[in-house]
Amino acid sequence: MAKSHQQLQSDADSWVKYRRWAKVLSSNVLAINYNIHSKILWVQFKGKAKGIKYPIYAYSNVPDTVAKAMYTCNSKGKFVWAVLRNGKYSVSGPT
């Protein structure tokens, strides 16, 4: 049974509060993590980048509302391209 929008929002709030890695259902993204104090969103991808297996990229100055939106969205890969890689957030990686 699919979770309700309200349950997804509650899960996202808890995820941000407790700063833990969350494995996600995605063909491109393996897991995400967020630190509300530093406003850094880490995205771990499937596959390889620059010889690194399962690379992690850090996106800076990401508001918690954006991190929660990624947690609850249907397509994590599309979210990365449409929201995180639009030039608004600086990115470092892969690590």
Side-chain angles (χ1 to χ4, degrees):
M1 181 177 199
K3 290 185 177 185
S4 70
H5 179 72
Q6 184 177 8
Q7 182 59 49
L8 283 173
Q9 288 299 322
S10 177
D11 289 353
D13 290 341
S14 177
W15 169 68
V16 166
K17 180 179 179 182
Y18 294 109
R19 296 184 294 186
R20 62 183 180 268
W21 280 95
K23 292 201 177 218
V24 295
L25 294 175
S26 171
S27 60
N28 294 318
V29 177
L30 183 62
I32 57 176
N33 195 355
Y34 181 70
N35 184 311
I36 196 167
H37 302 292
S38 64
K39 297 192 179 305
I40 296 174
L41 174 64
W42 292 274
V43 180
Q44 184 175 28
F45 290 91
K46 296 178 179 178
K48 279 186 172 183
K50 298 182 182 179
I52 298 171
K53 190 173 183 181
Y54 308 123
I56 299 172
Y57 289 82
Y59 296 88
S60 301
N61 300 314
V62 178
D64 65 322
T65 53
V66 173
K68 290 176 188 178
M70 181 168 188
Y71 184 92
T72 61
C73 75
N74 290 327
S75 176
K76 309 302 187 231
K78 286 181 182 176
F79 188 92
V80 168
W81 285 102
V83 178
L84 297 178
R85 301 214 33 169
N86 67 6
K88 188 172 183 179
Y89 308 106
S90 60
V91 60
S92 62
T95 59

